[in-house]
Amino acid sequence: MSAPVKLAARMARQEGWNRPPVIETDNETQLFEVSMGPHHPSTHGVFRMDVVLDGERVIKLKPMFGYLHRNHEKLAENQTYLASMPYTDRLDYFCSMTNNWAYALAVETLAGQAVPERAEYLRVIMAELTRIQNHASAVGFLLQDMGASGTPLMYAFVQREKILDLFESLTGSRMMCNYLRFGGCRVDASAAWLEEARKLVAELPAFVDEFEEFLRGSEILMARTQGMGVLPAELAVNAGITGPMLRASGVDYDIRKVDHYGIYDRFKFRVPLGDHGDIYDRYMIRMLEIRESIVILEQALKEIPGGPVMDPKAKIRNFRPKPGEAYGRIEAPKGELGFYLISDGGPNPYRYRVRPPSLINLTILEDMCLGHNVADVVLIFGSVDIVLGEVDR
Amino acid sequence: MPEGRGFEVKTVEEIKAAIEAAVPGAGVEIVTNPGPSAQHSLRLAHEHAVAVATFLRDDEELALDFLSNVSGVDWPDKEIVEKVKVTRPVTKTVDGVEQTAEETVEETRKRVEPGSLEVVYHLYSMAKKQGPVIVRMKTVNRTDDVAVPSLTPVWRSAEFQEREVFDLYGVKFTGHPDLRRILMWDEFKDYPMRKDYVEPDDFEYEPTAHDEVAARAKAHQAAAAQEGAGA
């Protein structure tokens, strides 16, 4: 395993930044309860936080869920395995490709289904493109949350649109791709499509350099993110935090490296780690992960072999896995996305469970926000990077 | 287990032996998985569950510091229909004389196997990069004894997930710090993920002012109709 990237060397961290002092007074204060959301632009969807404030400072915060709950799991238990595939797109609607992959991996583990070589490469290409557009948008949303209204987010969306155009030309849909099948992929990518993808990947490093300047070159951003919402590594592990949030706290755990699912052991890439576990680290980790994804994409697009994209033995109709159970998980852009399936030998899953990284990463939201100003809650919450379609399911 | 999809350093038998050495009388049972994934699991007894979980987390070899996933599973009551051969004495009248003879008949018997609710925990080790180890617990039945011990004091990541299992399956986690509904609203009565759940016709029926007006209008119309008939 290659050594993790030492983040501190790359960060223009301003040590000893003079934060305005907290003014202590003898004035008697009254606690104030605020309901942030569900219709608040900073909550990235319909999510509510019940916040108790002492002046500007947060002393209690309870997240409230369920505004987007449609019992995804029950729906999936009442239809065939394949019929849930397009529905997984709607979990984390920013990253439909990785949702597809996690579900396909769980079903393939359940049924003992093999995947052809070319399909594995296509899956890696799709997942890494998804990661790039998710992380770019997450950083765009950070700048939006800090008040840089519109422009930086749209700037991130320029590259995202190009990636979505690629998805659309291959799968027919920008966001609801429904691309994977148990034992392969739905359609093959043409040589022209791969050429387009190579062109796009060649453009990306320049975009990341420029975009990183937004993070590193802004004094306001430094002041508002460094040392804010610190998450200690021990708490992060115990609370089941995964993905860029965990690695920003310095825990070296990337499921692509740990499980080697798919063909990730063939690619050379590094796992960036943070030192401080604050908001700034979380965003820098995402920028660094974009760079590593570009490295993976370059290798995958170079090495992709020919051949079929579906296992010829894969069963599409009358698919009934043998009785048993399986848990399959992948490193989705937001963390560990897992599917737990129990088969009773019938055409429907007996039990279908989604392990949503967005929901579980919110477990420590209160711990991170306590003692901070209410304006910083928006940033800390944004740095978790959630999508409500996956939180509420 | 297929290569590249997680790996186990110890088999479930070895883990069971380690648990029983550390927690005497732990009552761990192996649940084999017949499917191709071969992810076997361990069923814990309620009274030792927290001790066993703490051992699994703190043991240096296992170091299962990361609880990934908590799922509820519903196993409803099963009606089992069996055909049993029964031999019984039969009295027959042959040529006016009563005779008793043994006769073997096939009888259909029904019995109900009581169901239960199950909670499944998927554990991994971040320190040792190994896993999964799967542990599960069962409730006594599905109606009045639905408690299992909460593992939130051991792994904080169970906090929201156990709340979700409580919300959708109705499993009561004893020792959970904040056991409330999480996805459904607080006034909701039933447990929607259970297999026998029937959804109501109208989820959010509340009597409104309109109902009162409609009732008064109906009474008025009835009175008017009677008046019309009388005239």
Side-chain angles (χ1 to χ4, degrees):
Chain A
M1 197 182 290
S2 51
V5 177
K6 203 68 190 149
L7 194 63
R10 305 194 55 155
M11 274 194 205
R13 185 171 277 277
Q14 296 179 338
E15 296 299 343
W17 173 267
N18 290 326
R19 211 175 284 291
V22 178
I23 301 162
E24 300 286 348
T25 65
D26 297 332
N27 294 346
E28 216 170 89
T29 56
Q30 201 178 0
L31 296 186
F32 191 63
E33 201 171 317
V34 187
S35 176
M36 281 180 81
H39 296 287
H40 190 274
S42 76
T43 59
H44 302 208
V46 277
F47 172 77
R48 185 158 70 89
M49 291 173 267
D50 270 353
V51 191
V52 179
L53 299 175
D54 180 5
E56 280 262 337
R57 253 182 293 170
V58 176
I59 60 165
K60 195 177 160 189
L61 184 148
K62 289 284 169 216
M64 300 291 183
F65 309 98
Y67 291 96
L68 214 58
H69 179 55
R70 62 255 187 223
N71 218 339
H72 175 88
E73 296 176 4
K74 185 89 175 179
L75 289 167
E77 282 170 20
N78 286 309
Q79 57 190 8
T80 57
Y81 285 86
L82 185 59
S84 301
M85 183 58 88
Y87 208 59
T88 58
D89 292 340
R90 275 90 178 153
L91 285 169
D92 174 358
Y93 40 77
F94 264 76
C95 319
S96 61
M97 290 286 193
T98 48
N99 297 344
N100 284 180
W101 195 356
Y103 181 48
L105 187 74
V107 175
E108 284 154 8
T109 315
L110 181 72
Q113 171 70 53
V115 182
E117 192 86 333
R118 188 176 171 84
E120 291 277 27
Y121 273 89
L122 282 172
R123 286 178 178 196
V124 169
I125 292 167
M126 294 307 164
E128 296 310 319
L129 284 172
T130 302
R131 200 179 313 277
I132 290 170
Q133 58 100 353
N134 178 74
H135 286 355
S137 334
V139 176
F141 277 120
L142 165 81
L143 296 157
Q144 169 108 334
D145 284 346
M146 282 202 315
S149 186
T151 313
L153 180 63
M154 288 304 128
Y155 198 84
F157 274 12
V158 170
Q159 292 301 320
R160 178 171 176 261
E161 266 326 297
K162 288 183 184 167
I163 292 173
L164 294 188
D165 283 348
L166 273 183
F167 287 171
E168 187 179 14
S169 67
L170 183 60
T171 71
S173 178
R174 288 166 74 247
M175 289 166 82
M176 304 294 127
C177 296
N178 180 19
Y179 180 55
L180 300 196
R181 291 289 177 268
F182 315 132
C185 302
R186 181 157 54 91
V187 285
D188 195 1
S190 63
W193 189 90
L194 289 171
E195 203 41 57
E196 282 297 310
R198 278 184 203 112
K199 253 189 230 161
L200 178 67
V201 170
E203 278 174 26
L204 284 172
F207 158 76
V208 182
D209 286 340
E210 202 173 355
F211 207 53
E212 213 175 286
E213 275 307 299
F214 284 147
L215 284 173
R216 291 212 288 209
S218 162
E219 216 168 274
I220 300 170
L221 190 140
M222 295 276 188
R224 287 203 62 190
T225 58
Q226 293 193 348
M228 285 287 176
V230 175
L231 176 63
E234 206 170 295
L235 176 63
V237 172
N238 192 255
I241 309 304
T242 43
M245 279 226 5
L246 176 76
R247 293 190 285 275
S249 294
V251 182
D252 181 15
Y253 195 76
D254 187 320
I255 297 168
R256 289 175 293 175
K257 288 277 190 196
V258 175
D259 277 12
H260 308 293
Y261 66 89
I263 48 164
Y264 272 112
D265 47 349
R266 293 186 199 176
F267 302 114
K268 271 194 184 154
F269 65 102
R270 297 176 295 175
V271 180
L273 297 178
D275 299 321
H276 300 77
D278 54 6
I279 302 178
Y280 186 71
D281 273 11
R282 271 170 228 147
Y283 283 101
M284 281 312 284
I285 289 285
R286 293 198 171 101
M287 294 312 292
L288 293 172
E289 278 192 7
I290 294 180
R291 292 182 187 279
E292 295 305 321
S293 291
I294 295 170
V295 172
I296 298 175
L297 276 172
E298 282 166 353
Q299 297 171 55
L301 285 166
K302 204 169 124 195
E303 293 163 10
I304 182 166
V309 291
M310 268 301 277
D311 184 11
K313 283 184 209 142
K315 216 169 177 189
I316 304 279
R317 295 194 192 285
N318 202 14
F319 177 71
R320 290 161 189 263
K322 284 184 195 125
E325 58 174 62
Y327 180 64
R329 59 174 197 162
I330 67 160
E331 181 73 34
K334 293 184 169 65
E336 175 188 329
L337 177 64
F339 282 81
Y340 174 56
L341 300 164
I342 298 181
S343 165
D344 58 355
N348 304 351
Y350 182 79
R351 176 73 177 110
Y352 169 103
R353 150 91 182 155
V354 187
R355 189 253 185 223
S358 295
L359 173 73
I360 295 158
N361 284 359
L362 285 176
T363 310
I364 36 67
L365 183 63
E366 185 177 17
D367 303 60
M368 291 197 294
C369 290
L370 290 184
H372 286 297
N373 286 349
V374 69
D376 295 326
V377 170
V378 173
L379 286 190
I380 296 170
F381 174 75
S383 74
V384 182
D385 186 19
I386 64 158
V387 158
L388 268 298
E390 188 178 76
V391 172
D392 290 342
R393 283 159 293 135
Chain B
M1 186 174 287
E3 205 193 340
R5 295 193 180 155
F7 59 94
E8 286 176 70
V9 175
K10 283 184 163 189
T11 61
V12 273
E13 288 82 13
E14 284 165 351
I15 296 170
K16 181 179 183 240
I19 291 172
E20 278 167 356
V23 185
V28 182
E29 233 179 278
I30 293 175
V31 182
T32 44
N33 179 354
S37 75
Q39 294 173 344
H40 308 300
S41 49
L42 297 164
R43 178 166 296 133
L44 307 185
H46 291 188
E47 56 273 22
H48 298 291
V50 175
V52 171
T54 315
F55 164 74
L56 291 174
R57 185 193 63 183
D58 297 338
D59 182 56
E60 275 181 17
E61 267 181 67
L62 290 166
L64 298 163
D65 48 6
F66 169 44
L67 166 60
S68 165
N69 180 35
V70 182
S71 342
V73 188
D74 183 19
W75 302 102
D77 299 345
K78 239 190 211 164
E79 198 183 64
I80 296 172
V81 183
E82 293 171 313
K83 283 197 171 161
V84 196
K85 281 193 174 168
V86 191
T87 314
R88 58 181 177 196
V90 185
T91 319
K92 278 183 186 170
T93 317
V94 183
D95 301 333
V97 185
E98 274 198 8
Q99 283 181 337
T100 312
E102 297 270 299
E103 195 185 51
T104 307
V105 260
E106 211 167 64
E107 219 175 58
T108 316
R109 278 190 197 168
K110 283 181 187 173
R111 68 185 165 92
V112 177
E113 202 171 81
S116 64
L117 300 166
E118 193 172 31
V119 191
V120 186
Y121 296 83
H122 287 80
L123 309 171
Y124 286 87
S125 171
M126 277 191 186
K128 298 249 171 176
K129 301 202 167 48
Q130 63 196 26
V133 172
I134 305 162
V135 297
R136 49 213 307 155
M137 285 189 279
K138 255 189 177 179
T139 61
V140 177
N141 57 33
R142 300 172 72 246
T143 46
D144 53 347
D145 196 350
V146 288
V148 297
S150 166
L151 298 187
T152 306
V154 186
W155 291 286
R156 175 91 187 273
S157 67
E159 185 182 336
F160 285 175
Q161 302 193 67
E162 283 182 350
R163 266 178 76 183
E164 194 185 317
V165 175
F166 164 73
D167 187 1
L168 303 180
Y169 282 91
V171 178
K172 294 209 167 60
F173 292 91
T174 44
H176 190 285
D178 182 24
L179 197 62
R180 288 180 291 135
R181 283 192 179 272
I182 183 166
L183 294 174
M184 306 302 283
W185 52 102
D186 290 341
E187 296 79 18
F188 192 77
K189 288 279 183 289
D190 221 336
Y191 303 110
M193 276 302 282
R194 290 200 183 181
K195 292 279 176 192
D196 52 2
Y197 172 74
V198 182
E199 59 195 272
D201 299 336
D202 183 356
F203 273 103
E204 287 173 85
Y205 176 76
E206 276 174 32
T208 59
H210 179 259
D211 293 335
E212 211 178 290
V213 174
R216 259 190 286 154
K218 209 174 168 188
H220 174 77
Q221 278 156 3
Q226 211 170 25
E227 215 167 90

